[in-house]
Amino acid sequence: MKEKTDNKIKPNRYKREDNPPVSLTRKELARYFLRGVRLPLLVCLFSAVVIFCHDAVVQSPFFLIQDVTISGTQKVENKQILALAGLTEPVNIFQVNLSAMEKNIASHPWIEAASVYRSLFFTLAVSIVEQTPMAIARFEKLPDILINTQGVAFKEYDPDQDQIHALPVITGLNLTFSNNRHHFKGPLFNSVFDLLHGEYADTIISINGDENTGITIQVPDIFNQKPMAKNQHVPIRLGFDNYGKKLIRARQISQYIFANIPGKTICAMDLFDIDTVFIKTADMDALHTYIEKGV
């Protein structure tokens, strides 16, 4: 018989001896220490240099603003802009916060936008865009308000200070106040806004709005060959739309009356419906006239 062999795997009883401790010299310890602190030291040194240079620049009188150029102003005086910008005293040109300065300047009610930028030879350039007034809105229990060409109410109207002439006066609008600003809204204001951007806006003296009947305007007496009394105005009811066509029709009607009904003086017109026109004459005769398109 064959003897049985033991096939079991015996564990390896060999144990690797641990590495013997290595003792470091002082020079080696110093070398490792310097390697660890080298980068932080460089960062600190660089930061110190940057701070020193920054302080040297912003505190040096050599970098003070030498000149301020202001363009685009008509209503606002330069001294007001300098005060808003904080430039009434010497300022280092590199300490100027351009964005904050632009916002401060634009806080003036007559300024729509402002741009500030640094120029050569320590010069600060300020470019102003002033508001363009389009009309004066009048209310019963509130001060008059100026409206710009975007239809935004931008300031209370002061005749002595603003000195604006020949702007149409609007009545009958609703005014709301939100986000620290006055606003107009609704179809009636949209109609007024369209009219003021039309071809005949320069001839309008006043505009009255009504939620039910639309717009009635006052214009100089340009419809009669012999105008009425001095400063007499002709009211024209226009409704809500087709203002350009209706004002052209008003001129055609005046020419028709002068040619065919001499002696009559137009006192008022109602063009709410462009095809059915009502005319009021000086002797109070009412002419109910259906006007052909070819007239």
Side-chain angles (χ1 to χ4, degrees):
M1 295 180 62
K2 293 181 179 180
E3 296 183 357
K4 294 182 179 180
T5 59
D6 190 358
N7 295 328
K8 292 183 179 180
I9 300 174
K10 295 181 180 181
N12 189 353
R13 300 183 179 275
Y14 172 77
K15 291 184 179 180
R16 186 176 60 181
E17 295 183 358
D18 295 334
N19 293 330
V22 178
S23 59
L24 299 175
T25 64
R26 289 183 179 181
K27 291 184 178 180
E28 291 174 333
L29 288 173
R31 190 182 302 115
Y32 284 118
F33 175 77
L34 290 176
R35 287 179 182 176
V37 301
R38 183 185 301 171
L39 181 59
L41 284 175
L42 290 175
V43 172
C44 293
L45 180 61
F46 179 76
S47 300
V49 172
V50 170
I51 293 172
F52 175 80
C53 294
H54 174 269
D55 293 342
V57 169
V58 299
Q59 295 176 11
S60 173
F62 180 77
F63 297 102
L64 293 178
I65 296 174
Q66 303 298 324
D67 188 24
V68 179
T69 62
I70 301 174
S71 61
T73 56
Q74 292 182 348
K75 291 289 184 182
V76 187
E77 297 180 356
N78 287 354
K79 62 181 182 180
Q80 293 178 293
I81 295 175
L82 293 176
L84 290 169
L87 297 174
T88 54
E89 297 181 355
V91 178
N92 189 293
I93 195 168
F94 295 108
Q95 282 187 308
V96 172
N97 187 328
L98 300 181
S99 178
M101 186 176 290
E102 290 172 349
K103 291 180 180 179
N104 291 336
I105 295 174
S107 65
H108 192 286
W110 265 109
I111 296 178
E112 182 179 351
S115 299
V116 183
Y117 54 93
R118 299 179 182 90
S119 187
L120 297 176
F121 307 112
F122 308 107
T123 299
L124 205 64
V126 182
S127 178
I128 301 297
V129 178
E130 290 188 342
Q131 300 278 5
T132 304
M134 182 174 61
I136 300 171
R138 180 161 294 167
F139 307 90
E140 291 184 2
K141 299 181 180 180
L142 293 173
D144 293 348
I145 294 178
L146 288 171
I147 302 174
N148 64 17
T149 52
Q150 287 76 43
V152 177
F154 64 92
K155 77 177 297 288
E156 293 183 2
Y157 176 52
D158 187 336
D160 296 330
Q161 293 184 359
D162 297 326
Q163 297 182 353
I164 301 175
H165 306 287
L167 283 182
V169 177
I170 307 173
T171 56
L173 294 179
N174 293 323
L175 186 66
T176 60
F177 187 79
S178 62
N179 298 325
N180 296 321
R181 300 193 68 174
H182 289 94
H183 301 274
F184 299 97
K185 62 180 181 179
L188 182 61
F189 175 71
N190 294 336
S191 298
V192 172
F193 191 68
D194 292 342
L195 177 61
L196 289 173
H197 280 82
E199 181 180 355
Y200 298 93
D202 293 339
T203 64
I204 298 173
I205 296 172
S206 66
I207 303 173
N208 178 256
D210 185 275
E211 297 287 350
N212 299 315
T213 60
I215 291 173
T216 299
I217 65 173
Q218 297 273 350
V219 297
D221 187 4
I222 58 176
F223 299 102
N224 297 299
Q225 296 295 326
K226 294 182 179 181
M228 295 179 288
K230 188 178 181 180
N231 297 328
Q232 187 73 28
H233 304 149
V234 178
I236 304 176
R237 184 186 174 206
L238 296 174
F240 292 97
D241 54 12
N242 291 329
Y243 301 124
K245 292 181 179 179
K246 288 178 178 179
L247 290 173
I248 292 174
R249 180 60 56 86
R251 182 62 68 89
Q252 293 172 340
I253 291 170
S254 68
Q255 295 172 354
Y256 176 84
I257 290 178
F258 176 77
N260 296 277
I261 315 175
K264 295 293 184 181
T265 300
I266 299 173
C267 294
M269 295 186 184
D270 187 339
L271 289 90
F272 185 88
D273 184 348
I274 195 171
D275 295 319
T276 305
V277 180
F278 293 88
I279 308 296
K280 185 177 181 180
T281 60
D283 57 3
M284 305 305 291
D285 291 333
L287 303 180
H288 184 188
T289 309
Y290 293 89
I291 304 297
E292 296 288 342
K293 287 188 177 182
V295 173

